[in-house]
Amino acid sequence: MSFINYSSREINCKIVYYGPGLCGKTTNLQYIYKKTNPDSKGKLISLATETERTLFFDFLPLALGEIRGFKTRFHLYTVPGQVFYDASRKLILKGVDGVVFVADSQIERMEANIESIENLRINLAEQGYNLDAVPFIVQYNKRDLPNVVPLDELKKALNPKKIPDFEAVATDGTGVFDTLKAIAKLVIMELKKGQQGG
Amino acid sequence: MLGSDLVMYEEEFKQIDAELQRLLAQANAKVVFLVDKNGQLIAATGETENLDTTSLASLTAGNIAATGGMAKLLGEKEFSILFHEGQRDNIHISIIGQRVILVVIFDQRSSLGLVRLRVKKSAEFLGGIFSQLLQKVESGKGAGKGGDSPFAEITDEDIDKLFG
């Protein structure tokens, strides 16, 4: 649910990074924060526990520049990945314009990935969204680790609809901006569709 | 207005801005701002120069969302007012028309009673403006009028440019 302000000529969109615990959602945001020009970003806010596990959400506002004279801002959020924080995850999905699912490529996390993507579908449905209809990107993270699931298998399990997907190593930034760019594009195109439709 | 975008037009924005300024003065507050429930800052007035209003907006919405979750668990519809008391500054947060959040930051120059009283009055007025805005958006008036919608002719190139 974007916010279009004709008075100040601004567009604000909300993107949520979803995925199982420790898959690298916060790391994605940290890398984007590190690599973005100070003028175009706000503070990275992390509501985390003392052991740096996300408790409620991370938040990073990004001002990307102008589209047709409108300042375009993306508000990036992560959810807490741990299973028992489900109530918080639901709240953060409210008003979402686009979702990035960050998968953990390690073999032992495959079950957690599948559980999390199913949880995403259910929580979106509770808000009245259909995962197949919202702008959605899948990122296969941690591709640098030795014990990863082959890409084909990941795709088959997590992306049967063949939506745009990316391999990533969030710790060194590989694939992070490709993912962000792709979801931003989908979100803006969705806005365009919505405007034309209305 | 679940499922539709929040759109703000010049006319309503001016009315809202004027009302926030009036509230700021009448409640003797430091800062007054308005956030939508998804965390987008709608308008702000007062001593905002050294204040990270974007982050405050997001955290306010998170706060309201968490409190709303608690309300649900207790069988309440919502907790419509939150109040945080600090040593120097206090924050009064209230929900207007189930859709937007009004935040007033004040210090010892004002009082909770005064803020509550003034917020109540402003809430009625602001609620009216937002239902007017809602009607306008739903009837499609104003949106993309005269082809000035920023999205109408967007291209891949425009989007690529954003990322330099």
Side-chain angles (χ1 to χ4, degrees):
Chain A
M1 211 178 293
S2 59
F3 174 33
I4 306 163
N5 192 333
Y6 284 88
S7 176
S8 54
R9 300 190 80 74
E10 285 176 6
I11 307 162
N12 290 335
C13 304
K14 177 172 178 176
I15 294 172
V16 173
Y17 283 70
Y18 211 94
L22 293 174
C23 69
K25 303 172 288 294
T26 302
T27 312
N28 262 272
L29 255 64
Q30 283 168 340
Y31 186 81
I32 293 165
Y33 180 76
K34 206 168 72 186
K35 290 292 170 187
T36 309
N37 184 335
D39 300 337
S40 49
K41 68 186 174 195
K43 265 190 212 133
L44 172 61
I45 290 196
S46 286
L47 304 181
T49 65
E50 281 175 11
T51 52
E52 292 193 15
R53 299 299 304 270
T54 304
L55 182 63
F56 195 3
F57 59 78
D58 303 301
F59 169 67
L60 176 61
L62 273 188
L64 283 183
E66 293 195 355
I67 289 186
R68 310 270 155 160
F70 273 69
K71 275 180 238 147
T72 310
R73 290 211 181 91
F74 287 93
H75 290 176
L76 310 184
Y77 285 83
T78 67
V79 298
Q82 295 176 82
V83 175
F84 55 88
Y85 287 132
D86 199 38
S88 304
R89 274 195 294 280
K90 285 180 193 176
L91 299 176
I92 294 151
L93 282 176
K94 273 188 190 164
V96 68
D97 292 301
V99 180
V100 173
F101 183 81
V102 182
D104 189 329
S105 297
Q106 298 176 91
I107 293 166
E108 63 267 31
R109 296 300 285 163
M110 214 41 214
E111 213 172 300
N113 287 328
I114 292 167
E115 197 182 328
S116 178
I117 211 163
E118 204 38 52
N119 175 256
L120 168 63
R121 185 176 289 280
I122 292 167
N123 285 345
L124 276 175
E126 268 183 37
Q127 312 280 345
Y129 297 101
N130 175 0
L131 181 59
D132 300 326
V134 295
F136 182 42
I137 299 280
V138 177
Q139 181 190 78
Y140 312 108
N141 194 22
K142 308 195 185 183
R143 296 308 295 167
D144 58 327
L145 296 184
N147 54 336
V148 295
V149 177
L151 195 61
D152 293 355
E153 276 181 45
L154 276 171
K155 280 178 185 265
K156 216 157 63 189
L158 301 173
N159 188 10
K161 296 248 157 70
K162 298 193 171 63
I163 56 157
D165 52 6
F166 297 90
E167 290 185 82
V169 182
T171 44
D172 71 16
T174 309
V176 169
F177 274 96
D178 294 333
T179 307
L180 175 63
K181 200 168 163 176
I183 190 68
K185 210 169 199 170
L186 286 183
V187 166
I188 293 170
M189 284 306 172
E190 187 67 26
L191 280 176
K192 179 180 173 178
K193 249 191 344 203
Q195 289 279 309
Q196 283 170 341
Chain B
M1 88 181 260
L2 193 78
S4 57
D5 296 326
L6 178 60
V7 179
M8 178 67 64
Y9 300 108
E10 188 82 38
E11 186 189 347
E12 284 78 11
F13 188 77
K14 278 188 182 150
Q15 289 175 7
I16 288 168
D17 198 46
E19 182 59 28
L20 293 190
Q21 285 185 30
R22 188 156 47 229
L23 175 60
L24 182 81
Q26 289 185 341
N28 237 350
K30 283 173 82 173
V31 178
V32 175
F33 60 94
L34 206 57
V35 185
D36 96 327
K37 270 194 167 177
N38 305 323
Q40 317 270 21
L41 182 71
I42 297 170
T45 186
E47 303 165 28
T48 54
E49 305 81 31
N50 297 315
L51 208 59
D52 183 352
T53 45
T54 310
S55 298
L56 265 175
S58 159
L59 290 173
T60 302
N63 209 331
I64 283 286
T67 315
M70 285 160 63
K72 249 192 184 166
L73 292 176
L74 293 179
E76 281 285 335
K77 196 166 147 218
E78 64 182 12
F79 292 121
S80 54
I81 293 176
L82 307 184
F83 176 59
H84 301 304
E85 188 177 283
Q87 281 195 335
R88 203 184 57 230
D89 291 329
N90 313 296
I91 304 185
H92 184 280
I93 302 173
S94 50
I95 304 175
I96 296 174
Q98 296 177 6
R99 170 76 208 233
V100 288
I101 305 165
L102 178 62
V103 183
V104 180
I105 302 178
F106 64 97
D107 58 16
Q108 79 284 354
R109 286 172 290 177
S110 185
S111 70
L112 179 57
L114 178 65
V115 170
R116 280 191 75 148
L117 180 75
R118 297 301 184 193
V119 160
K120 210 170 171 186
K121 280 195 168 169
S122 286
E124 278 174 31
F125 184 79
L126 290 168
I129 297 176
F130 276 96
S131 37
Q132 180 187 321
L133 198 58
L134 196 84
Q135 279 176 359
K136 207 165 167 176
V137 172
E138 277 176 355
S139 68
K141 241 198 304 176
K145 61 185 167 194
D148 67 350
S149 159
F151 309 107
E153 287 165 29
I154 252 174
T155 59
D156 279 8
E157 206 176 277
D158 287 328
I159 300 171
D160 286 337
K161 258 192 255 162
L162 285 179
F163 290 87

